[in-house]
Amino acid sequence: MKFDIRNATAADGEVIATFNSRMCQETEERPLNPAIIGPGVSALLNDPSKGRYWVAESAGDVIGQIMVTYEWSDWRNATIWWIQSVYVHPAHRRKGIFSALYRHVESLAHDNNACGLRLYVEDSNERAQTTYQSLGMVNPNYQVMETIFGDTKC
C-alpha cells in the first residue's frame, strides 16, 4: 500500500477529531463531546507549542494519525515527546501505517534533541501493547494518575 506521511494542517481538523472520537469509542467505549474535541484539535493545529499532528495519507484520504505533546524533564535536562491520539482507519490496519508514523516521529524526536518517546495505553489493550513493544518500547513500570477538572473528561 502506498501512503505518505505529512504534517497535519487545519484542513485535517475534522477528520482528526472524527478519528479521535472513534479511538475513544473503540478503546474506552465512550464518546467524546464534539463541542470539545473539534475545538481541541483546532487549538493544537493552530498552536505548535501545544504539540503536533502528522497524518498518513493515501489517494488523497487521511488513513492514520499520530500526535505529539511535549514534557520538559528536569531530571534529563531534555524534552520527552508524548505520543497521543494514535489512530489508523480500520480498513488500513496491519499494513505498517502506525509503524511508519511511529518511525517518522522517532526520527523527528532525534533530530530535535528529544531524549525519548512515551505514550500511555489502556491496560486491557494487549494488541496495542504488542505493537508498541515490537517497535522497541518498554513498560517503565510507572502508573499514570490524574485529576481532571470540569467537563473535559473523555
Side-chain angles (χ1 to χ4, degrees), residues 32-89:
L32 293 177
N33 182 340
I36 295 175
I37 187 61
V41 168
S42 292
L44 188 136
L45 288 170
N46 291 316
D47 182 356
S49 72
K50 287 181 174 30
R52 292 178 64 188
Y53 279 104
W54 292 269
V55 295
E57 185 177 60
S58 179
D61 293 323
V62 173
I63 58 172
Q65 69 183 41
I66 194 168
M67 180 182 87
V68 165
T69 58
Y70 313 108
E71 172 193 351
W72 177 253
S73 173
D74 55 345
W75 288 12
R76 294 170 179 86
N77 191 28
T79 302
I80 298 168
W81 285 21
W82 276 85
I83 294 172
Q84 300 182 58
S85 298
V86 171
Y87 189 81
V88 175
H89 188 282

